[in-house]
Amino acid sequence: MKKFILKLIIVVAPTVLLVGSVNYCGEAANLFSSGYEKKIADEIIKGNNVTNVYNYDERLFQKYLINNSDFCSDVLVIGLSRVMQINASNFKGQTFLNNSVSEASIEDLLAIYQMYEQKKCLPKKIILGLDPWTLNSNSGQT
């Protein structure tokens, strides 16, 4: 029985170490690294385009974008993913920012608004995108 357990440890331990190290080093979800969202926000604040962005926390990205930017817009869009298509071409002559996030809850919308209020950077116009199920008592949000 002792030989079996020893052989099992000799076979299983390297396999677990290999799988664990591959998952840690090549982790696509950024669970073990920090700063991915901050790097994206910093590049956008500098005026650079950012491509090949994947598996990022949209809410954390919005936090860095809002708090690290000196930019105050005339028009702000806050809402769910359905209003992400609204862009600056709809507001000629005005500065514009869209801070929508996927699957936003009322708490997300209030948090984004609160960050602008704390910065004393409230825009002249806020477009709030709400889907019917956001305000539904069966939405799961209390």
Side-chain angles (χ1 to χ4, degrees):
M1 184 68 170
K2 288 182 181 181
K3 283 185 178 183
F4 174 74
I5 292 174
L6 184 61
K7 286 182 182 180
L8 187 65
I9 290 173
I10 289 172
V11 171
V12 170
T15 305
V16 169
L17 285 172
L18 178 66
V19 170
S21 62
V22 167
N23 283 331
Y24 180 79
C25 295
E27 53 112 11
N30 298 306
L31 298 174
F32 302 111
S33 61
S34 61
Y36 184 64
E37 292 82 1
K38 185 176 183 321
K39 289 177 191 172
I40 299 167
D42 288 344
E43 287 300 315
I44 290 174
I45 290 168
K46 290 178 191 173
N48 299 327
N49 290 328
V50 180
T51 60
N52 298 328
V53 177
Y54 58 93
N55 289 337
Y56 72 103
D57 185 340
E58 291 182 35
R59 288 145 184 85
L60 192 55
F61 166 71
Q62 293 296 341
K63 175 184 170 186
Y64 288 128
L65 186 65
I66 294 166
N67 291 334
N68 296 345
S69 173
D70 295 330
F71 178 75
C72 290
S73 65
D74 295 329
V75 179
L76 175 66
V77 176
I78 303 173
L80 291 84
S81 58
R82 289 180 184 256
V83 296
M84 285 182 176
Q85 292 83 17
I86 299 174
N87 58 42
S89 66
N90 299 314
F91 306 97
K92 303 250 189 270
Q94 297 176 307
T95 56
F96 172 85
L97 209 81
N98 191 329
N99 288 111
S100 301
V101 294
S102 299
E103 299 180 19
S105 66
I106 294 292
E107 291 86 355
D108 294 324
L109 305 179
L110 289 171
I112 291 171
Y113 176 83
Q114 184 65 32
M115 284 189 273
Y116 278 106
E117 191 173 55
Q118 285 177 345
K119 264 182 78 171
K120 302 201 183 333
C121 189
L122 287 174
K124 297 174 187 172
K125 187 183 299 182
I126 296 177
I127 297 173
L128 184 61
L130 289 174
D131 287 339
W133 51 86
T134 308
L135 302 173
N136 188 322
S137 62
N138 297 319
S139 69
Q141 299 291 320
T142 55

